[in-house]
Amino acid sequence: MSVFMDLNVLFSADRSRLQSLVETAAHLGFSTVAINYVFEPTTKKKQEVPSPVPISELIGHLPVVQGRSRPIKVLNRLTVVMSEASHFRPNATEYRAFDLLAIQPTTEKLFHTTCMLCDVDIICISVTEKLPFFFKRAPINGAIDRGVVFEVSYASALRDSTMRRYTIANAVCLMESCKGKNVIVSSAAEKSLRGALFGLSDADSKEAVSSTCRAVLLHAETRKTASGIVYTRISQQDTLQDCVGSEAPAAKRPKPT
């Protein structure tokens, strides 16, 4: 059974609105959503990275997912709109408060840098304007090889016809470059839009809101655990067995003759 996720629900100070969006997502069968805090630094003055509001304070009651017996999972996500390379600080401690980390590059050079070097989970594709550059296979493949995914959001496509043209045109260009792989489709809107409009096949459309989203969560866990270094944890059962073993009498060795 597929697990559906929406990893881009825009943060709002209106708690009732967020509660309603999460309840709608759970009713539609989404098992996981991410509250997205968008941070757009400027060169004029120093700005502080926003701190995520604890989920327990943000969402009063987590609704149960339709068709499942457990409540919806809510994550925190930070998206940095990068118009200069200095806007993204790889070792910033503020980033650690978020479950997911995304970048929206605004130039071709920054897009290339993000794909090849930046340690993030998601690369956002702008859909509110015509992209000032073309997608190239080298950076696209570089990001895919590193387990990073590209995100297309369809909220803008629901606002007006101009935004819809930009959304579809930019998404189709991306699909042609990455062949529909490592792409997630997300939205802060209440109405869904079929992925086929973005040039995705039915199978890729399903992956864009299910298995590829799950890959994002796994990539985020890897990024936060020393770049994928495996760690082990001794369970209580193993500890008990070790204690019993250490208390057991040692076998008698035969005396030398």
Side-chain angles (χ1 to χ4, degrees):
M1 184 176 181
S2 298
V3 177
F4 299 110
M5 306 181 190
D6 185 350
L7 301 183
N8 188 355
V9 174
L10 292 178
F11 171 77
S12 172
D14 186 347
R15 306 295 174 86
S16 60
R17 173 184 174 276
L18 276 179
Q19 180 77 40
S20 177
L21 286 174
V22 172
E23 290 176 352
T24 300
H27 179 72
L28 293 175
F30 285 82
S31 65
T32 304
V33 296
I35 306 300
N36 185 19
Y37 295 76
V38 179
F39 177 54
E40 189 168 0
T42 63
T43 56
K44 295 182 179 180
K45 60 179 180 179
K46 184 178 180 180
Q47 295 173 284
E48 297 295 331
V49 176
S51 298
V53 180
I55 299 301
S56 58
E57 297 180 14
L58 199 60
I59 309 297
H61 174 69
L62 293 178
V64 175
V65 179
Q66 180 73 21
R68 296 177 179 269
S69 58
R70 57 178 180 271
I72 191 170
K73 184 176 183 179
V74 182
L75 305 174
N76 285 317
R77 161 182 164 176
L78 175 67
T79 298
V80 180
V81 180
M82 188 168 64
S83 55
E84 292 186 6
S86 61
H87 290 166
F88 179 74
R89 296 177 287 124
N91 299 318
T93 57
E94 297 90 342
Y95 296 167
R96 300 175 186 173
F98 296 90
D99 301 299
L100 301 175
L101 186 57
I103 288 181
Q104 181 177 320
T106 58
T107 67
E108 182 176 9
K109 183 178 180 180
L110 292 175
F111 179 80
H112 186 279
T113 300
T114 303
C115 288
M116 303 302 292
L117 299 176
C118 293
D119 190 14
V120 296
D121 308 305
I122 302 170
I123 298 175
C124 309
I125 305 303
S126 175
V127 293
T128 59
E129 60 183 0
K130 185 178 180 180
L131 287 175
F133 60 89
F134 294 100
F135 295 112
K136 296 181 179 179
R137 291 287 178 84
I140 292 286
N141 291 337
I144 292 175
D145 291 342
R146 297 194 302 116
V148 181
V149 307
F150 299 94
E151 177 189 62
V152 175
S153 174
Y154 56 78
S156 298
L158 305 178
R159 296 172 187 167
D160 58 56
S161 59
T162 301
M163 294 292 188
R164 188 175 304 115
R165 287 198 300 271
Y166 289 146
T167 300
I168 295 175
N170 294 348
V172 169
C173 288
L174 174 66
M175 303 311 164
E176 291 176 349
S177 298
C178 67
K179 305 300 182 183
K181 303 303 179 184
N182 280 51
V183 174
I184 63 172
V185 175
S186 59
S187 175
E190 298 180 2
K191 184 178 180 180
S192 63
L193 184 66
R194 288 185 58 84
L197 291 177
F198 298 148
L200 286 169
S201 65
D202 289 341
D204 288 341
S205 296
K206 188 175 182 179
E207 288 184 4
V209 293
S210 56
S211 58
T212 307
C213 290
R214 176 173 173 78
V216 174
L217 304 188
L218 295 176
H219 183 274
E221 288 297 326
T222 301
R223 175 177 53 79
K224 295 166 68 176
T225 54
S227 298
I229 296 176
V230 177
Y231 64 93
T232 58
R233 181 176 61 186
I234 300 177
S235 65
Q236 292 182 350
Q237 183 177 1
D238 292 337
T239 304
L240 180 61
Q241 290 177 348
D242 290 343
C243 292
V244 173
S246 62
E247 294 176 357
K252 295 182 178 181
R253 297 181 180 177
K255 296 180 178 180
T257 57

